[in-house]
């Protein structure tokens, strides 16, 4: 009986948060181990379906770098990274789009639907959702102090998000799943960092929250201790002094984009923890690092 009462207490703890977020949109960047390990994939899908059934509107933006790398290797297309970006010629871009939109996106849709959800896959081409422009390779590579300056090819950045199609899907009770491939004004496809797409989508939707799933506990200080909360105004100093570095920088930049765009709170959490999304949303303590 005590165990049953404990379960009831857990449900009651979640009640204030269910009330607070009912009818609100939460954008979730899905990537890392949560996309690979079967038990984590199932837990992720269960979390998303539960959110939808209790009246919260999840919108998923996903990555797929490792899957792209595997396909390029199978096709014997050489891969090269400069300044953390994949050099993307036309042939590579065709593979990127095929893998992200045709394979990874549809696998996530299938995963969510197999757990009782009603997901729909999108890329930036659908309804002109993500209007992209080519990044300035020289400027970017100079900023990150890359060893050489070259043209990165079809690597883009978000110029504009047209959220109409996403809002229509939300209104129709669907769960949008977005691949980070944008369409340029030249009608070419561009590969865009999924973290930054998630930030831009959250801002365009005026989402309540942006949650970034990562393979680390959150942002840690110089002593390796988790930082539970950071103010947006402090991010620049933390990047400059090296507290925030490497792959964490685009995640933090995405949170900054979202907050400037009107999102109330952003979170960087450990996607290796089962049901990490529910733990963040429905508990007082939360997990990971919040940026506000």
């Amino acid at each position: 009986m005590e165990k049953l009462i404990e379960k009831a207490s857990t449900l009651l703890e979640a009640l204030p948060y269910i009330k607070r977020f009912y009818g609100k949109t939460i954008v979730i960047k899905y990537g890392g181990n949560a996309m690979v390990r079967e038990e984590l994939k199932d837990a992720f899908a269960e979390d998303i379906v539960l959110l939808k059934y209790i009246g919260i509107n999840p919108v998923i933006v996903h990555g797929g770098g490792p899957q792209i790398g595997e396909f390029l290797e199978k096709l014997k297309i050489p891969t090269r990274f400069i300044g953390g970006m994949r050099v993307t010629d036309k042939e590579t871009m065709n593979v990127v789009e095929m893998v992200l939109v045709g394979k990874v996106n549809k696998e996530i849709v299938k995963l969510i639907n197999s757990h009782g959800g009603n997901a729909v896959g999108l890329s930036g081409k659908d309804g002109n959702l993500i209007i992209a422009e080519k990044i300035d390779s020289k400027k970017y590579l100079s900023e990150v102090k890359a060893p050489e300056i070259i043209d990165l090819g079809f690597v883009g950045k978000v110029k504009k998000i047209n959220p109409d199609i996403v809002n229509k899907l939300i209104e129709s009770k669907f769960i949008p799943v977005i691949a980070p491939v944008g369409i340029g004004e030249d009608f070419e496809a561009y590969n865009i960092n999924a973290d930054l797409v998630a930030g831009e989508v959250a801002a365009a939707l005026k989402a309540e929250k942006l949650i970034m799933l990562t393979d680390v506990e959150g942002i840690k200080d110089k002593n390796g201790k988790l930082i539970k909360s950071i103010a947006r105004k402090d991010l620049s100093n933390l990047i400059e002094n090296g507290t925030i570095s490497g792959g964490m920088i685009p995640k933090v930049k995405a949170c900054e984009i979202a907050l400037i765009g009107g999102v109330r709170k952003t979170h960087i959490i450990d996607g290796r923890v089962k049901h990490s999304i529910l733990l963040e949303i429905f508990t007082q303590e939360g997990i990971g690092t919040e940026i506000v």
Side-chain angles (χ1 to χ4, degrees), residues 11-262:
L11 290 171
L12 287 171
E13 182 183 354
L15 182 57
Y17 302 101
I18 294 172
K19 287 180 178 178
R20 184 186 303 174
F21 301 129
Y22 182 84
K24 301 293 178 62
T25 295
I26 295 178
V27 175
I28 299 161
K29 160 60 196 334
Y30 182 41
N33 271 293
M35 280 182 69
V36 178
R37 288 168 48 189
E38 290 301 323
E39 71 275 17
L40 294 178
K41 288 165 63 175
D42 287 335
F44 166 81
E46 289 166 352
D47 289 1
I48 297 303
V49 172
L50 177 60
L51 291 180
K52 193 66 178 179
Y53 271 105
I54 61 176
I56 297 171
N57 301 314
V59 175
I60 316 303
V61 177
H62 66 84
Q67 293 91 331
I68 293 168
E70 287 176 14
F71 262 77
L72 289 170
E73 187 175 349
K74 287 178 182 177
L75 295 171
K76 295 183 169 50
I77 298 173
T79 298
R80 188 181 182 201
F81 285 88
I82 301 288
M85 292 285 194
R86 188 190 304 273
V87 180
T88 307
D89 59 16
K90 186 65 175 177
E91 186 179 24
T92 301
M93 187 62 226
N94 287 337
V95 174
V96 168
E97 187 170 12
M98 176 185 71
V99 173
L100 286 180
V101 181
K103 184 176 188 295
V104 176
N105 186 272
K106 301 313 172 192
E107 287 177 350
I108 297 169
V109 168
K110 177 184 173 183
L111 175 69
I112 293 171
N113 290 349
S114 70
H115 284 78
N118 204 6
V120 174
L122 300 168
S123 80
K125 290 182 174 180
D126 295 304
N128 290 320
L129 170 58
I130 306 170
I131 303 299
E133 61 184 353
K134 182 181 171 70
I135 70 164
D136 184 332
S137 298
K138 183 177 180 180
K139 179 182 177 183
Y140 168 77
L141 293 173
S142 297
E143 287 175 351
V144 299
K145 297 180 174 58
E148 60 179 312
I149 308 297
I150 64 170
D151 183 5
L152 292 169
F154 293 92
V155 177
K157 62 180 180 179
V158 175
K159 183 176 182 180
K160 182 182 178 183
I161 299 290
N162 293 314
D164 290 354
I165 189 170
V166 177
N167 284 324
K168 291 293 185 186
L169 288 171
I170 291 171
E171 289 168 12
S172 300
K173 311 302 181 187
F174 290 102
I175 300 169
V177 179
I178 302 170
V181 174
I183 182 74
E185 292 181 350
D186 53 5
F187 299 104
E188 294 283 3
Y190 287 90
N191 186 22
I192 310 176
N193 181 286
D195 294 332
L196 299 179
V197 170
E200 295 281 4
V201 167
L205 294 173
K206 299 292 187 256
E208 182 74 13
K209 285 179 180 286
L210 168 64
I211 298 176
M212 314 285 288
L213 296 183
T214 68
D215 285 340
V216 294
E217 190 179 357
I219 298 173
K220 295 184 178 181
D221 63 20
K222 292 292 185 67
N223 298 316
K225 184 178 178 181
L226 179 69
I227 304 174
K228 294 287 289 181
S229 185
I230 300 173
R232 181 174 69 84
K233 62 182 176 62
D234 296 328
L235 292 176
S236 297
N237 289 336
L238 292 172
I239 292 173
E240 285 176 14
N241 67 27
T243 301
I244 297 171
S245 61
M248 188 59 73
I249 291 177
K251 299 183 190 310
V252 166
K253 291 288 187 185
C255 291
E256 190 171 29
I257 289 167
L259 291 167
I260 291 170

